[in-house]
Amino acid sequence: MSPLSETRSAPRQAGTPLAARILAGWLERITTGQLTLCPPRGPARTFTGSRSGPEAELRLRRPARVLARVLHRGDLGFAEAYMAGEWDTPDLAALIELLIYNEHAYNASPAGRWYSRLALALYHRLRPNTPTGSRRNIAAHYDLGNDFYELWLDETMTYSSALFAEPEQGLAAAQRHKHAETLRQLGARPGEHLLEIGCGWGSLARAAAEAGVHVTGVTLSREQLAWAREHLRTAGGAGRAELRLADYRELAGRYDHIASIEMFEAVGREHWPAFFATLQQRLRPGGRALLQVITIDEAAFPVYEQAPDFIQRYIFPGGMLPTLGHLREGLQEAGLELEQVSAHGGDYAATLAAWQRRFNARAEALEALGFGERFQRMWRYYLGYCEGGFRSGRIELHRILARRPDA
């Protein structure tokens, strides 16, 4: 959502705060979907676009604070108002999706005033993904504690999009299906050696080891590594898998296959060439690499690159989504041949919806771990923000299979 530089005067309604009337004036411009605005006092108003789309509800608790935040901080201010409990909605994903569809109706910067844009840009630049910076940035997200993630991830402890073989498939089964598809696409056979860059809690490594594939997995999260090693031993796959704390730039040797599942988003744009070069250097001739990457729409990238968003500020410091074009170009410049590209945004939207339900159901347990209301609202916004992004097509999930040519 972005503020208007100029707005039409909203009709005056008795008992409705001025800020709510100004916000209503903005919403009169929507062209897609339907939004119901519920002020703290006075009647609700419904705004309907000329084109069908999602239906959402925005419940204002402190309209003046919401308005001030949006005017000064744009999209980020809107998110911060939610974190502060100044507005609410029964369906975050639907609201975000609707606002994305209608952003063309607004004509001011999505990052708010110039000083907010400058502050955000400086914050992002101060979180570079150098070897040292990457460890700090990863720790900020993944070292929240294994107890935190165990509360709401599925039993496989997989923190990336599932691939659903059928719409009604359970989340854990869909994650296992993704692991099996990854090994199948790579053509990984028993006895071959797979490198996983960004192994997380080791779910793919366990699946590969169970299939007889040798695995070397690397992560920058100490919390993840400790959990993954322990559960690898419990699963009996320790003899075929080695998981270690390492940066992808520190790796040596050659591997039959490489998998990297939703790690590229944390690489940082200035380091993309080094990542692609690593794939080429670590693959044996004829070997394949499979990347699963969240991408952003080509048309949205220029603004996104210049104005760090909610995810970069609060969830993944130092992160940067590529476009599909960036991935194609980077792989080709590294001397790798693209063999297959597929899109799975619907799978990610379904995964995020499942995570949101699980997260919401564990509110008391999260509170007991020390994750209070503001933190929980930040994460609920994060999950809904991403789900709405995938449903709108602003972001997409791509799986890309590439091959190093034979020598």
Side-chain angles (χ1 to χ4, degrees):
M1 178 178 178
S2 306
L4 294 172
S5 58
E6 297 180 1
T7 63
R8 295 178 295 178
S9 297
R12 186 175 183 85
Q13 293 177 298
T16 302
L18 174 62
R21 296 201 301 272
I22 293 173
L23 291 169
W26 293 354
L27 297 177
E28 287 180 340
R29 297 183 177 224
I30 71 169
T31 58
T32 302
Q34 179 175 287
L35 177 61
T36 299
L37 181 68
C38 304
R41 301 189 305 277
R45 290 188 62 191
T46 297
F47 304 88
T48 304
S50 59
R51 292 190 292 270
S52 62
E55 296 181 7
E57 185 176 310
L58 176 59
R59 300 171 181 171
L60 296 173
R61 293 176 177 169
R62 300 186 65 189
R65 290 293 299 151
V66 175
L67 178 62
R69 289 183 190 271
V70 171
L71 285 172
H72 287 278
R73 303 268 280 176
D75 292 358
L76 187 58
F78 189 63
E80 290 167 339
Y82 179 81
M83 290 161 57
E86 295 163 1
W87 65 267
D88 221 322
T89 181
D91 190 339
L92 269 165
L95 178 61
I96 297 298
E97 182 184 6
L98 183 144
L99 293 175
I100 291 173
Y101 284 139
N102 288 285
E103 67 182 358
H104 61 276
Y106 307 102
N107 53 17
S109 167
R113 302 289 177 86
W114 67 268
Y115 46 80
S116 292
R117 298 197 300 273
L118 177 61
L120 287 170
L122 287 174
Y123 177 85
H124 189 64
R125 287 182 180 276
L126 290 173
R127 305 302 294 248
N129 283 300
T130 60
T132 300
S134 289
R135 285 179 167 84
R136 179 189 62 184
N137 290 337
I138 291 299
H141 187 85
Y142 292 100
D143 287 353
L144 289 170
N146 296 326
D147 290 346
F148 168 73
Y149 288 99
E150 283 182 303
L151 280 177
W152 56 275
L153 292 179
D154 69 88
E155 64 195 58
T156 70
M157 281 290 279
T158 306
Y159 188 34
S160 58
S161 178
L163 294 183
F164 292 84
E166 53 189 31
E168 302 304 317
Q169 189 173 36
L171 183 58
Q175 295 289 13
R176 294 188 178 98
H177 174 67
K178 176 187 66 184
H179 299 329
E181 278 296 289
T182 298
L183 297 175
R184 182 194 65 78
Q185 286 183 267
L186 288 169
R189 297 188 294 261
E192 292 184 331
H193 200 165
L194 168 67
L195 169 65
E196 186 181 7
I197 301 176
C199 63
W201 286 277
S203 57
L204 176 60
R206 292 193 299 275
E210 290 169 4
V213 178
H214 294 277
V215 185
T216 295
V218 296
T219 178
L220 292 178
S221 168
R222 296 181 183 277
E223 290 276 337
Q224 284 185 330
L225 182 64
W227 196 99
R229 282 176 170 173
E230 176 60 31
H231 285 75
L232 191 63
R233 284 192 293 270
T234 302
R240 284 189 295 273
E242 176 194 6
L243 306 181
R244 61 178 192 256
L245 195 72
D247 189 283
Y248 67 92
R249 289 162 286 204
E250 301 169 351
L251 298 171
R254 293 279 181 85
Y255 299 84
D256 297 302
H257 314 283
I258 298 177
S260 187
I261 308 298
E262 294 176 37
M263 175 271 177
F264 187 85
E265 300 86 340
V267 169
R269 187 173 188 182
E270 66 273 27
H271 302 289
W272 289 350
F275 181 88
F276 292 124
T278 296
L279 297 182
Q280 195 275 342
Q281 293 162 4
R282 300 297 149 237
L283 272 177
R284 65 164 174 80
R288 289 183 171 86
L290 189 140
L291 307 181
Q292 180 168 306
V293 183
I294 302 170
T295 60
I296 190 165
D297 180 66
E298 298 272 358
F301 185 81
V303 172
Y304 165 75
E305 182 183 26
Q306 296 299 319
D309 70 351
F310 165 77
I311 300 290
Q312 294 163 306
R313 174 61 182 84
Y314 284 102
I315 307 298
F316 289 107
M320 174 69 73
L321 300 183
T323 67
L324 179 59
H326 288 134
L327 296 175
R328 289 179 180 274
E329 181 181 351
L331 289 165
Q332 290 170 346
E333 288 183 353
L336 299 172
E337 300 174 344
L338 274 68
E339 291 195 334
Q340 185 178 339
V341 178
S342 56
H344 304 274
D347 288 290
Y348 218 148
T351 301
L352 285 155
W355 286 344
Q356 184 78 274
R357 290 191 295 271
R358 297 167 70 92
F359 190 89
N360 292 344
R362 305 310 301 271
E364 291 185 7
L366 288 163
E367 183 75 35
L369 286 177
F371 299 106
E373 176 66 12
R374 185 179 186 278
F375 178 92
Q376 291 190 40
R377 289 183 70 86
M378 178 177 73
W379 271 71
R380 289 201 294 271
Y381 191 87
Y382 156 52
L383 296 172
Y385 181 82
C386 293
E387 183 186 347
F390 281 112
R391 294 199 183 283
S392 70
R394 170 56 51 82
I395 53 176
E396 182 59 270
L397 181 71
H398 283 101
R399 282 171 63 90
I400 300 177
L401 186 67
R403 176 178 178 274
R404 177 174 174 174
D406 294 321

